[in-house]
Amino acid sequence: MLSNPSQTLTALTIAGSDSSGGAGIQADLATFANFNVHGLSVITALTAQNPQGVHRVSLSSIEQITAELNAIEILKPAAIKIGMLANSEILNSVNQWLNQQPVPVVCDPVMSATSGGSLLDNNGIADFKNLLNNITLLTPNIREAEILTGTNIATVEDIQLAADNLLAMGADSVLITGGHFLEESDVCLDYFKNAEQQYWLRGKRIATVNNHGTGCTLSSAIAAALAHGYELIDAVVLGKMAVSQGLSQAQSIGNFTGAVAHPGGPCRIEFLPEILPANAHPLEYKTPAFSRCTTEPLGVYPVVDSADWVEKCLAEGVPTVQLRVKDLPEDTLRELVKQSVAAQQKYGGQLFINDYWQLAIEYGAYGVHLGQEDLDTADIHQIAEAGLRLGVSNHAWYEIARAHAIKPSYMAIGPIYSTPTKVMRFAPQGLEQLQEWVDLLKSEYPMTAIGGINLERAPAVAKSGVGSIAVVRAVTEAADYKAAINELNNSLQAEL
Ligand SMILES: Cc1ncc(COP(=O)(O)OP(=O)(O)O)c(N)n1
Ligand SMILES: Cc1ncsc1CCOP(=O)(O)O
Ligand SMILES: [Mg+2]
């Protein structure tokens, strides 16, 4: 799912072996391989298991587990996944070793097999809180969250309360997975919370009985993405996609139920989860209905800072243009928006106003372009109801999942290259990441690429199939802006 890094990355799973091959160590290693991460393993227990049940469990000795943990240390796992710990003795000795580990730890609090057998004894459950201080992300399902918190979970509010309890018990972040919540509905709701953020992830429910190993796959996929250096919130999206894609291809084994698959390869948009707006109730959230853009793909897309530039670009026949100005007094802004809208009425084209969505509505602009921070405060339903289009900036997987929940009129990806035009906390995405996001999103959204794109780079960017290139300097600082627009257009046309 993630491409091969230039140096071998390692991740460690500390878990039990599943003789039926669908969960535990076997699922974790298959997931790591899928994410191009070399898997290290410390096996806490051997289970004699098949779809009919867990027939026998044989625990590894503490000496063996400790020796394995110490042995793999020189291979420097970049992330750790924890699964079956069997009992309090194993749990506490793993925890002691974790005290020295500087890397993120994802813990799936495995307590029982899908087929029913117990995989953690009562003392282990009682001691589980000891482990939480060493856990970056805890990924319980509803039943596991109930057991760990001693609460009953039947509603959305119960899930939120359980997450609060788990954080209070010491976990840094918690993701309560909703595979067994509202099972009759066609969506699957997971809830993420830590000190900074809380959100619902809404994914398509993949109804299958072949779901053995789902929790193992999710937690090890998140650990693998963390090993690649992704931020936790991005890793959660990647983990969720891997599970949904895997469930969609899961097959039975003869007459027996099977396990989540590990197909690898590119992910389809139907498996991209939606991150619902922070204040949305997950069962009542209504997706806004934004109008589509008239001209798709969006083509050459100059981002300019004056009504004069808007007019010159539209007069030159660009299909899309954006007015992007910062820190101006209200009356100057109004005048700029008004004049830009007048230019659009004269020449046609799609005029997007950056940031100032109320003015865009008031003056009847074609659309609004918003950054992810703006989504926290803008009334996006009002923008949609006024008939304006919405474009949204995206720099990371988490942002893409968040934008996907509001179904904007287009998705912007950037920065593709480094640029002096804007200070951003995101590293350049590069062409490979652009390609992955174009392949994922293009069937549902028109897209544009922005950041550091000049005439030389335009053909390579256009080759991704993005269909539009958004530029500031390549037009506004060109010796001949008309020729620049023409050349950018030629690069895009060559790929249509
Ligand atoms: C086409 C396009 N893509 C991205 C941006 C960046 O917008 P935003 O995140 O709102 O940041 P500012 O432009 O406001 O600094 C854009 N303007 N246009
Ligand atoms: C506004 C913005 N958002 C992401 S990159 C960028 C600036 C792009 O400017 P340039 O085309 O000059 O690199
Ligand atoms: Mg903005």
Side-chain angles (χ1 to χ4, degrees), residues 301 303 322 324 326 354-355 369-374 393 395 410 412 422 448 450 470:
Y301 185 171
V303 176
Q322 180 182 137
R324 175 179 181 266
K326 302 282 174 188
N354 187 19
D355 298 345
H369 183 94
L370 293 179
Q372 295 270 334
E373 302 76 24
D374 308 316
S393 302
H395 314 85
Y410 73 80
K422 181 181 171 185
T448 191
I450 187 167

Side-chain angles (χ1 to χ4, degrees), residues 295 297-304 309-322 343-344 347-352 468-469 471 475 481-489 492-493:
T295 307
L298 304 180
V300 179
Y301 185 171
V303 176
V304 299
W309 267 116
V310 167
E311 176 152 2
K312 285 195 292 189
C313 291
L314 291 174
E316 207 43 40
V318 301
T320 314
V321 68
Q322 180 182 137
Q344 182 203 351
Y347 293 102
Q350 313 181 113
L351 168 69
F352 286 84
S468 169
I469 291 176
V471 293
V475 165
Y481 76 92
K482 294 184 182 178
I485 288 172
N486 193 37
E487 202 171 324
L488 290 168
N489 189 42
L492 288 167
Q493 295 301 324

Side-chain angles (χ1 to χ4, degrees), residues 171-291:
D172 263 7
S173 301
V174 56
L175 176 69
I176 300 183
T177 61
H180 299 297
F181 181 62
L182 303 175
E183 281 184 272
E184 69 293 346
S185 110
D186 59 356
V187 295
C188 175
L189 290 173
D190 304 325
Y191 183 65
F192 176 92
K193 184 158 186 184
N194 64 16
E196 292 89 44
Q197 277 178 305
Q198 58 188 76
Y199 56 79
W200 290 95
L201 273 125
R202 185 168 72 175
K204 185 175 163 206
R205 180 171 290 279
I206 318 283
T208 174
V209 292
N210 302 313
N211 57 12
H212 184 48
T214 311
C216 304
T217 302
L218 176 71
S219 50
S220 50
I222 295 172
L226 290 172
H228 274 271
Y230 282 92
E231 288 190 18
L232 181 60
I233 49 178
D234 297 317
V236 165
V237 171
L238 286 161
K240 174 87 180 159
M241 290 199 313
V243 168
S244 299
Q245 186 184 29
L247 283 172
S248 76
Q249 295 187 36
Q251 290 184 319
S252 60
I253 307 175
N255 292 329
F256 298 104
T257 54
V260 57
H262 305 277
C267 197
R268 295 205 306 272
I269 193 162
E270 62 187 291
F271 305 128
L272 175 66
E274 297 169 320
I275 291 181
L276 302 188
N279 54 0
H281 188 287
L283 303 177
E284 286 156 21
Y285 172 67
K286 248 184 105 209
T287 312
F290 286 103
S291 303

Side-chain angles (χ1 to χ4, degrees), residues 320-336:
T320 314
V321 68
Q322 180 182 137
L323 176 70
R324 175 179 181 266
V325 286
K326 302 282 174 188
D327 307 322
L328 290 179
E330 164 91 17
D331 39 350
T332 318
L333 264 176
R334 283 188 170 275
E335 201 46 40
L336 272 179

Side-chain angles (χ1 to χ4, degrees), residues 158-178:
D158 293 340
I159 294 178
Q160 289 175 310
L161 212 59
D164 288 340
N165 283 336
L166 291 166
L167 295 179
M169 285 162 71
D172 263 7
S173 301
V174 56
L175 176 69
I176 300 183
T177 61

